[in-house]
């Protein structure tokens, strides 16, 4: 099975959010730097994950992104479906 760059980036971003231990929102810039994903492309992906209710977002100086559900309730397939459509 081929995975698009978009799906790959979405999975990597979700894994980075799942690895966050403190539960605080993570800035898009941090996700971009940590996973070497172009920021503008990442923001588009995160918006799609937000619409799929996988990620939550908060604006402002203390804002960022975090998972909307516990990591063990989100599958890789959920993330891929959110950005690519049905498998």
């Amino acid at each position: 099975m081929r995975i698009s760059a978009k799906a790959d980036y979405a999975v990597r971003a979700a894994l980075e959010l799942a690895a966050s231990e403190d539960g605080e929102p993570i800035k898009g810039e941090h996700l971009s730097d940590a996973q070497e994903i172009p920021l503008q492309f990442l923001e588009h992906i995160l918006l799609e994950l937000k619409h799929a209710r996988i990620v939550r977002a908060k604006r402002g100086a203390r804002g960022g992104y975090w998972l909307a559900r516990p990591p063990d309730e989100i599958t890789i397939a959920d993330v891929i479906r959110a950005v690519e459509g049905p498998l």
Side-chain angles (χ1 to χ4, degrees), residues 10-62:
V11 169
R12 288 172 36 202
L15 287 171
E16 187 73 25
L17 292 171
S20 172
E21 295 179 11
D22 57 12
E24 292 293 316
I26 298 176
K27 299 272 186 207
E29 293 86 7
H30 174 78
L31 288 170
S32 173
D33 291 342
Q35 292 296 321
E36 298 179 357
I37 302 170
L39 181 59
Q40 202 166 23
F41 194 30
L42 176 63
E43 288 176 342
H44 179 71
I45 290 167
L46 290 168
L47 182 62
E48 291 185 30
L49 293 175
K50 181 180 169 195
H51 287 170
R53 297 187 177 168
I54 293 172
V55 168
R56 295 183 72 196
K58 180 180 177 184
R59 292 211 230 175
R62 305 186 97 207

